[in-house]
Amino acid sequence: WEQAMRGFDEMKRWGLHPSVETFQALINVCNQSGNWDVAMEILTLMQINHVPPGVATYNELIQTCVMEDDLDRGLGLIQEMKTAGIEPDATTYKALEKLCLSAGRMEHAREFKRLAQARSFQRWKKEDKPIENHAWRNWE
């Protein structure tokens, strides 16, 4: 993670602007190396660099909370997402379900599981194209 952070600093020295993907990669490296506090600090770095986090960034940070077993922080992140107008997806809810199960909050875990299933179904329905859009319909 230290090498990744040095690379980030070098990038800034060269005048390059980090992207959302750059920050997500940093969070991922911190997660893999067990530097969860640093992973959380990257959200602040994003704000300083005027890079708005998206759902994938928050999912990565909530995954940090899962590894840290930090339910309060995970719930705080979903609240922050909603305040920022970022819609949680099935991955978000599955991670929160896991956090709640770990904390023994079964009722909350069931609710997050229900929300994850609903999000998965919505995505599937969006990808389901009406029959009129299929190429074979134009063969008439």
Side-chain angles (χ1 to χ4, degrees):
W1 73 272
E2 290 172 338
Q3 186 176 0
M5 292 304 287
R6 279 194 298 274
F8 175 78
D9 290 339
E10 190 67 25
M11 195 175 137
K12 296 290 287 177
R13 272 195 291 281
W14 280 88
L16 300 172
H17 300 286
S19 66
V20 171
E21 293 80 10
T22 303
F23 287 108
Q24 285 173 207
L26 288 171
I27 293 167
N28 189 290
V29 167
C30 290
N31 282 348
Q32 290 177 9
S33 63
N35 291 290
W36 300 315
D37 287 335
V38 177
M40 289 299 183
E41 290 172 14
I42 291 172
L43 186 57
T44 304
L45 275 177
M46 291 180 80
Q47 293 163 344
I48 291 168
N49 286 278
H50 307 287
V51 177
V55 68
T57 306
Y58 278 103
N59 285 345
E60 196 70 48
L61 290 169
I62 291 170
Q63 190 57 41
T64 302
C65 296
V66 170
M67 291 185 279
E68 232 180 4
D69 206 18
D70 190 343
L71 178 62
D72 291 336
R73 190 179 269 180
L75 294 175
L77 285 169
I78 193 168
Q79 189 58 46
E80 193 175 315
M81 285 176 75
K82 289 180 177 184
T83 300
I86 299 169
E87 192 70 31
D89 63 10
T91 302
T92 312
Y93 290 128
K94 286 177 189 174
L96 289 166
E97 174 195 3
K98 190 173 182 178
L99 258 175
C100 289
L101 285 171
S102 177
R105 305 280 262 321
M106 299 307 156
E107 201 57 38
H108 288 93
R110 277 192 287 279
E111 179 61 15
F112 284 127
K113 181 177 185 172
R114 186 190 66 73
L115 289 167
Q117 290 169 339
R119 286 285 180 234
S120 293
F121 180 73
Q122 283 176 345
R123 194 171 110 219
W124 175 76
K125 287 298 285 177
K126 280 183 189 174
E127 293 171 359
D128 190 24
K129 304 288 186 239
I131 201 161
E132 295 82 38
N133 292 341
H134 289 277
W136 65 268
R137 272 303 247 175
N138 296 326
W139 290 355
E140 296 177 339

